[in-house]
């Protein structure tokens, strides 16, 4: 039996990525391990929400995600295991591969929007624009006060 570990955080994105895998004949004889990767919460949220409340929210979020994804997976000879990631993914994958043996890993999460990866557009400054006008006024005020 083929084993596939799938990281998911959005049902629509996962459906697009998994569609080619589910179209194959092997999909019916696969052990699917769906790993829900909940959105990160900032550390400042602990001022407003208790740890238990955050855990309950993650559990409900994962249940809703699995409810959307489970009907997509073939129900013939395949089996599905659902897991909620609560720590770093590399450690979780190592643990799952130790339990399951050799397994393929598919990352079906939404692409991260990384602000550091995009170049910052250069600011254009033309003579006579507001910044240069303000600089000129500041210089005049400084000369006037002296």
């Amino acid at each position: 039996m083929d084993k596939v570990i799938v990281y998911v955080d959005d049902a629509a994105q996962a459906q697009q990525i998994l569609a080619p895998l589910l179209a194959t004949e092997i999909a019916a004889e696969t052990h699917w391990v769906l790993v829900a990767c909940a959105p990160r919460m900032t550390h400042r949220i602990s001022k407003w929400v208790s740890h238990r409340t955050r855990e309950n929210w993650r559990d409900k979020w994962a249940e809703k995600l699995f409810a959307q994804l489970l009907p997509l997976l073939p129900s013939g000879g395949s089996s599905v295991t659902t897991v909620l990631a609560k720590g770093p993914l590399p450690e979780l994958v190592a643990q799952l591969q130790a339990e399951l043996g050799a397994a393929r890993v598919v990352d079906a999460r939404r692409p991260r929007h990384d602000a550091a990866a995009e170049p910052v557009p250069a600011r254009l400054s033309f003579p006579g624009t507001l910044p240069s006008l303000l600089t000129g006024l500041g210089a005049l005020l400084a000369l006037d006060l002296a």
Side-chain angles (χ1 to χ4, degrees), residues 100-142:
L100 300 171
R104 282 191 299 170
V105 178
V106 177
D107 190 352
R109 296 176 293 172
R110 283 187 312 254
R112 261 179 90 179
H113 177 64
D114 192 5
E118 292 182 11
V120 177
R123 284 185 53 188
L124 298 177
S125 180
F126 298 103
T129 59
L130 184 60
S132 61
L133 179 64
L134 292 177
T135 305
L137 288 175
L140 284 176
L141 289 174

Side-chain angles (χ1 to χ4, degrees), residues 36-38 56-69 82-85:
C37 304
N56 285 339
W57 178 84
R58 278 190 195 103
D59 292 339
K60 288 179 184 177
W61 178 88
E63 286 175 18
K64 186 174 154 183
L65 180 67
F66 292 142
Q68 293 173 348
L69 289 174
T82 57
V83 177
L84 174 59

